[in-house]
Amino acid sequence: VTNGIHILSWLAKDMRDLLGRYLGERWVEAPDNRDLWKRVKRIPDPELWHVRESLRRQLVVYARRRLRESMEKRGMSKSELAVADEVLDPSALTIGFARRFATYKRGNLLFRDIPRLKKILMDVDRPVQFIFAGKAHPRDDGGKNIIKDIVHTIRDADFRHKIVFLEDYDISLARKLVAGVDLWLNNPRRPLEACGTSGMKVTPNAGLNMSILDGWWEEGYNSEVGWAIGVPEIYDDPEYQDEVESNAIYTLLEKEILPTFYDRSADGIPRRWIQFVKEAMTQLLPVFNTNHMVENYTNHFYLNASINWNQCEYDNFAHARAVAAWHQRVLQHWHEVCVTDVKVEHTHDTLGVGESAKITAEISLGTLAPTDIIVEVYYGKVEYSGNIIHGKSEWLSNVESLGDGRYRFTGTLACDRSGRFGCTVRVLNNSPLDIRRLDVAPLIWW
């Protein structure tokens, strides 16, 4: 189950008023209703863009005030304070990066190639600016050093009006940021992002995402709703990964994001950008919200847990005793289970899309029975390192006895797409309680 946000907690008032006019107030009670969110496309582009510009201006005013207050606390001179009143441009593409500064989140990845970043920032025809905010754990020296490096770097005169770091990150500042930015930047080192809900919070405010394909963005991304940094691969060399993905950020800004944002119609509206916004709101908001999250927990876990409990307590817990006895028996003999042979049979060296391969696995069960186990073929795309990614599984349900506690399990595996794919076989226990199949006994892999 993927986390979701409570949309109303992060939604700016101006945007809520706009949504109320075109979606009706019913969406507040049913934010996971896809049909309601489709009404976003009824909002005239000029109206949506007017609200987006208003929220950006409000953010710039807020950032200037917050920056000035921070500088006053440090006792800076009047001339230095005057800088705070001039930072940021209310009409420029505004990109936000705010979160806990753990090292894996790579808060300084944007600054890996300073000359290239300066070239992007100095484009007078397509201005872009960044607002950073966040805190590191008091014992996370690496995170604190990243913040220190960013603050030191943006003192450069070329960055002074284009990049700001706002101190004392809190919920109030977070709400202003996710409401006011046009684009949210998230660049954790894959695959360490658990979910990354910060990017979800810009979507109801008509903001877009540029993110590593990790956490929620790997699930939510497609080319209609935002931008992906790099490809969904895990690199053995972190330094090389940083190099590749920082370059991907610069290239996305130069080739796709800035051209889309500044491609204006005769009335000054970025129609292509607004199209991205509407698709993002329509596709993402009904999925990545707390209502949908709780619904998934309820349907997939809570109701099943309730059913299991009712089964277990029936007849003075007779079923529970039977299940416990089954588990104990299987655990005592699980060491006897082993995969002795696996064969993948198909007519050609290369399997074509639409063709199928026959999978055969010979399993030695000792004193256990075929009904005590599940044999699965685990398959998926193979990355450069040889690992299967985005794996799926299918049961090998046809069983033939070979004698002496040995059995042959067979099934077919259909090839539904092109690419480099691989498969293996695994054995897990067939617990009477579905929820125990992964924790009663360890999986056995071929």
Side-chain angles (χ1 to χ4, degrees):
V1 175
T2 304
N3 286 339
I5 60 162
H6 184 250
I7 294 176
L8 288 179
S9 294
W10 302 100
L11 186 64
K13 182 182 182 302
D14 293 355
M15 189 58 68
R16 178 170 180 173
D17 292 342
L18 180 66
L19 294 178
R21 289 199 298 273
Y22 288 93
L23 274 65
E25 286 302 320
R26 188 176 158 223
W27 79 265
V28 175
E29 302 299 328
D32 55 343
N33 187 315
R34 293 177 182 268
D35 290 333
L36 286 176
W37 284 110
K38 290 177 182 178
R39 298 178 187 176
V40 165
K41 296 185 178 181
R42 301 177 184 178
I43 303 175
D45 290 356
E47 281 196 57
L48 184 56
W49 184 240
H50 174 75
V51 173
R52 178 92 291 285
E53 288 194 304
S54 175
L55 293 177
R56 189 192 316 112
R57 285 194 298 269
Q58 293 175 41
L59 172 60
V60 169
V61 171
Y62 177 85
R64 288 172 176 175
R65 176 173 61 80
R66 188 129 177 175
L67 185 61
R68 184 181 182 89
E69 291 172 353
S70 176
M71 295 170 72
E72 286 175 344
K73 290 179 182 178
R74 297 201 300 271
M76 293 191 171
S77 65
K78 288 185 178 181
S79 60
E80 290 173 317
L81 291 175
V83 174
D85 298 328
E86 300 173 355
V87 299
L88 305 177
D89 177 354
S91 62
L93 171 66
T94 303
I95 302 175
F97 184 102
R99 53 187 44 85
R100 178 173 58 90
F101 267 74
T103 52
Y104 80 88
K105 293 180 181 289
R106 299 187 296 181
N108 54 356
L109 189 66
L110 179 70
F111 302 96
R112 193 171 176 89
D113 187 339
I114 296 297
R116 191 171 179 186
L117 177 59
K118 284 187 176 182
K119 183 179 178 182
I120 293 170
L121 292 175
M122 295 301 109
D123 188 339
V124 295
D125 295 323
R126 302 185 304 185
V128 58
Q129 58 199 11
F130 293 84
I131 300 178
F132 283 81
K135 292 180 178 178
H137 188 278
R139 295 184 180 180
D140 184 359
D141 291 334
K144 289 188 284 188
N145 286 333
I146 289 176
I147 294 176
K148 182 179 177 181
D149 290 344
I150 293 174
V151 172
H152 175 75
T153 301
I154 64 178
R155 288 174 181 167
D156 187 305
D158 290 335
F159 292 149
R160 190 168 299 166
H161 294 83
K162 300 281 190 176
I163 305 177
V164 298
F165 190 100
L166 301 180
E167 299 177 354
D168 298 324
Y169 183 56
D170 55 18
I171 290 179
S172 175
L173 173 53
R175 284 198 180 104
K176 289 291 185 180
L177 281 170
V178 298
V181 298
D182 301 292
L183 186 70
W184 196 255
L185 173 63
N186 188 31
N187 46 234
R189 179 171 286 115
R190 178 183 169 89
L192 301 179
E193 185 80 328
C195 183
T197 57
S198 63
M200 299 179 191
K201 298 164 188 172
V202 304
T203 310
N205 294 294
L208 296 174
N209 278 271
M210 171 174 60
S211 176
I212 295 290
L213 287 170
D214 197 11
W216 82 281
W217 194 235
E218 183 174 15
E219 181 181 341
Y221 167 76
N222 66 66
S223 60
E224 297 178 334
V225 302
W227 292 273
I229 301 170
V231 294
E233 288 189 357
I234 301 171
Y235 295 76
D236 293 330
D237 182 355
E239 185 71 17
Y240 179 67
Q241 182 175 359
D242 291 352
E243 181 70 21
V244 169
E245 292 172 348
S246 63
N247 283 327
I249 292 174
Y250 302 135
T251 300
L252 281 173
L253 288 169
E254 294 164 341
K255 304 296 184 182
E256 297 188 37
I257 293 170
L258 286 168
T260 302
F261 186 83
Y262 286 105
D263 178 17
R264 306 293 171 94
S265 57
D267 54 0
I269 307 296
R271 303 282 177 174
R272 285 200 299 146
W273 185 272
I274 294 297
Q275 180 64 29
F276 270 100
V277 167
K278 289 183 176 180
E279 286 295 338
M281 297 179 76
T282 300
Q283 296 183 36
L284 301 179
L285 289 179
V287 178
F288 299 100
N289 64 73
T290 48
N291 290 56
H292 188 258
M293 177 187 70
V294 172
E295 181 181 345
N296 280 337
Y297 272 116
T298 301
N299 291 336
H300 297 306
F301 298 99
Y302 300 155
L303 291 179
N304 287 338
S306 177
I307 292 170
N308 285 332
W309 169 253
N310 290 334
Q311 290 177 342
C312 286
E313 71 168 350
Y314 179 73
D315 192 17
N316 194 28
F317 293 92
H319 181 65
R321 292 188 179 91
V323 170
W326 184 92
H327 287 168
Q328 185 176 19
R329 178 177 62 83
V330 169
L331 276 173
Q332 288 177 344
H333 297 281
W334 193 250
H335 67 279
E336 301 172 11
V337 180
C338 67
V339 182
T340 58
D341 189 32
V342 173
K343 294 179 181 178
V344 181
E345 304 174 31
H346 47 85
T347 55
H348 309 292
D349 291 339
T350 300
L351 194 65
V353 174
E355 296 180 344
S356 296
K358 181 181 178 181
I359 311 295
T360 302
E362 293 186 6
I363 314 291
S364 178
L365 296 182
T367 58
L368 295 180
T371 53
D372 292 326
I373 68 167
I374 295 172
V375 181
E376 293 180 334
V377 55
Y378 182 80
Y379 65 97
K381 184 179 179 181
V382 177
E383 63 177 357
Y384 74 98
S385 62
N387 294 323
I388 293 175
I389 58 175
H390 308 302
K392 299 180 181 179
S393 61
E394 297 285 347
W395 286 23
L396 300 183
S397 55
N398 297 319
V399 185
E400 176 188 356
S401 175
L402 301 177
D404 298 326
R406 295 182 301 112
Y407 297 86
R408 179 181 293 122
F409 293 77
T410 58
T412 57
L413 185 60
C415 179
D416 60 355
R417 69 188 70 178
S418 62
R420 184 173 174 231
F421 285 79
C423 68
T424 187
V425 166
R426 66 185 183 187
V427 181
L428 60 158
N429 73 90
N430 188 21
S431 171
L433 292 179
D434 292 351
I435 58 174
R436 298 300 309 278
R437 286 176 178 166
L438 293 178
D439 64 358
V440 170
L443 273 68
I444 297 173
W445 293 85
W446 167 249

